[in-house]
Amino acid sequence: MALKTRITADELDEMPEALREFYVESAESGSFDLSTDSTEKINEFRANNRALYREVEDLKKSQAEQEAALNAAQSEVQQRAEKDLLSEGKIDELLNQRTEAMRTSYEEKLADIERRHSEAEQTLDVHIVENQIRDAAIKAQARNDRAVEHIIRAVRPHVKRDGTQAVRVDSSGNPIMGDDGTTPQGILDLVAEMKISDAFLFAESSGSGANGGGVTNSGTGKQRIRRSEIGKYINEVAAGEVEIVEG
């Protein structure tokens, strides 16, 4: 029998103990979802992506607060300079000193803020784009983690971040439009092309000879899969159609 992707608590209780571990409690009360290696990795990458985005937002907030403090300090210095000018009469000398001090302090703080902002933007760019490529590669059934990393390296030079999404660009950095002429192509288009041009990076259909999941035992006629691949062949395991080997 094929396993349902979502079951109730009662159905979980009636299920054989060996299969219960493949279900996790759903966000919907009383339901349990079928968990696979791919969904777990996608959820992990999305959680990391959200955490990184929150960190960058906190950094931007801190930057705005520092800029406000800098403006307040500049205003105070200016007021003191004006007071000294009135009390000592050394208008030209004091004005030059205060102006130079303000300029130096401002440039140093501004350079530091710009540096940290640039680093944060670069980090955000790398993680958002690479996580989206990784997400697309897993959904396209990349063969293994090494294949995912290869796909990331191959796709990364051909996309750039536009807000929170990555778009496909040409050698000049201009977006490449889809068939409608208005919507930019994205990571999914590139991964789909790689699935044709570099098919060896992606898992084949069950029973078609895919490495690790397509070797057949000539004695039993059953497809052999590694124990680490059980999550990918959960329905076949339940139906007794595969033979599990260590690995």
Side-chain angles (χ1 to χ4, degrees), residues 7-15 20 30-32:
I7 60 175
T8 64
D10 292 338
E11 290 174 320
L12 183 67
D13 291 337
E14 297 173 358
M15 183 169 292
R20 292 181 187 176
S31 298
F32 293 82

Side-chain angles (χ1 to χ4, degrees), residues 25-226:
E25 188 170 2
S26 171
E28 297 183 10
S29 178
S31 298
F32 293 82
D33 291 331
L34 180 64
S35 174
T36 65
D37 292 343
S38 296
T39 55
E40 289 175 359
K41 289 181 180 178
I42 290 174
N43 291 337
E44 179 183 352
F45 294 137
R46 287 176 174 170
N48 291 339
N49 196 30
R50 287 193 293 267
L52 177 64
Y53 183 80
R54 288 193 295 269
E55 289 178 8
V56 173
E57 289 300 308
D58 290 342
L59 179 59
K60 290 181 177 179
K61 180 180 178 180
S62 176
Q63 175 185 332
E65 292 173 349
Q66 290 180 11
E67 289 177 345
L70 179 60
N71 291 333
Q74 290 176 327
S75 176
E76 182 180 354
V77 169
Q78 183 175 356
Q79 293 175 3
R80 289 179 180 178
E82 292 175 352
K83 182 178 180 180
D84 290 341
L85 289 174
L86 294 175
S87 62
E88 299 179 12
K90 299 179 180 179
I91 298 178
D92 293 336
E93 178 181 351
L94 190 54
L95 181 59
N96 289 337
Q97 291 178 352
R98 294 298 186 182
T99 301
E100 181 63 21
M102 289 170 58
R103 184 186 65 80
T104 301
S105 176
Y106 175 78
E107 290 180 349
E108 290 176 350
K109 291 181 180 180
L110 181 60
D112 182 59
I113 290 173
E114 290 177 344
R115 176 186 59 79
R116 287 187 288 128
H117 178 71
S118 177
E119 291 175 353
E121 284 293 316
Q122 290 176 5
T123 301
L124 181 64
D125 181 80
V126 169
H127 282 268
I128 283 182
V129 174
E130 291 190 2
N131 276 354
Q132 288 181 7
I133 298 174
R134 182 176 284 106
D135 194 337
I138 292 173
K139 287 182 178 178
Q141 298 183 324
R143 188 177 295 276
N144 49 41
D145 289 342
R146 291 178 62 184
V148 171
E149 294 304 318
H150 180 89
I151 294 168
I152 290 174
R153 291 193 298 270
V155 172
R156 186 65 184 87
H158 301 286
V159 296
K160 71 175 182 180
R161 183 168 62 89
D162 182 13
T164 59
Q165 296 297 319
V167 298
R168 187 177 187 176
V169 295
D170 57 23
S171 57
S172 300
N174 300 314
I176 297 177
M177 296 300 169
D179 295 336
D180 60 5
T182 57
T183 305
Q185 293 185 20
I187 290 172
L188 293 178
D189 299 282
L190 284 161
V191 173
E193 292 176 9
M194 286 192 69
K195 199 167 185 179
I196 297 174
S197 62
D198 300 273
F200 66 92
L201 294 171
F202 301 87
E204 300 176 19
S205 300
S206 177
S208 63
N211 184 27
V215 179
T216 301
N217 185 331
S218 58
T220 64
K222 292 184 179 182
Q223 177 186 355
R224 284 180 174 176
I225 66 169
R226 300 186 184 95

